[in-house]
Amino acid sequence: MELLQAVHGYQFFGAWAKLTPTPYALVTLVLFVWSIFPALKGAVHSSFTVGLRVTWFFTLLPAAVTGILLALNGLKVPSATAAAGGLTKYGFEPDPSRNWEHWMYSLFALMSLYVLEILVRGKLIEHRVGLRFLPVVTLFLYGVAYMIGRVAVLPGSTPGT
């Protein structure tokens, strides 16, 4: 169980942690910067597709699979549960609503990746037009990944309820 928690809850510390608090946020930020080039060129290079697959990996294995296994074992995000002394392990008042927000942002991440697949493959929308939306969707995905980490650590506006 500790290995699952370590993989799922790994965080960066230091100056870069404010921009990318988790490896998942870092991967989505790189994908966002990378998505600017196909949007400008109007064509997707195979390296961007590989980057998209790496993002899927970081979404599904370290985030989704371990998160589901932890949830099935009754665990919730650290910001939603009290540790010793009635505070979270980060020293804040627990906020149970953060657990549902964490799941909501995870769902947004999966939906964003699905939309990226549609845009890259040119399904449902003309390919060159769809590629113009890549930076918008990847920026949204980065914001979602950032919020996934933030929600797990910091309390919201309803602590203790």
Side-chain angles (χ1 to χ4, degrees), residues 33-100:
V33 172
W34 206 343
S35 72
I36 295 170
F37 300 106
L40 293 175
K41 290 169 59 175
V44 176
H45 197 271
S46 62
S47 61
F48 181 78
T49 307
V50 170
L52 183 58
R53 298 300 177 267
V54 168
T55 307
W56 270 108
F57 172 79
F58 271 87
T59 302
L60 295 177
L61 184 65
V65 171
T66 58
I68 290 170
L69 290 174
L70 290 170
L72 289 174
N73 284 307
L75 298 177
K76 296 181 178 180
V77 296
S79 64
T81 57
L87 299 176
T88 66
K89 76 177 192 176
Y90 298 105
F92 299 109
E93 192 174 335
D95 185 359
S97 68
R98 293 305 242 184
N99 194 56
W100 295 108

Side-chain angles (χ1 to χ4, degrees), residues 24 27-28 30-32 34 44-63 109-110 112-123 127 134 138 141:
Y24 183 52
V27 168
T28 58
V30 168
L31 189 69
F32 163 64
W34 206 343
V44 176
H45 197 271
S46 62
S47 61
F48 181 78
T49 307
V50 170
L52 183 58
R53 298 300 177 267
V54 168
T55 307
W56 270 108
F57 172 79
F58 271 87
T59 302
L60 295 177
L61 184 65
L110 290 172
S112 299
L113 285 168
Y114 181 70
V115 169
L116 285 171
E117 289 289 339
I118 290 171
L119 294 176
V120 166
R121 292 186 179 160
K123 306 287 184 188
H127 195 245
L134 281 180
T138 54
L141 178 60

Side-chain angles (χ1 to χ4, degrees), residues 79-80 92-99 101 105 147 150-161:
S79 64
F92 299 109
E93 192 174 335
D95 185 359
S97 68
R98 293 305 242 184
N99 194 56
E101 288 181 57
Y105 285 119
M147 287 303 294
R150 186 178 186 282
V151 162
V153 175
L154 300 174
S157 61
T158 58
T161 57

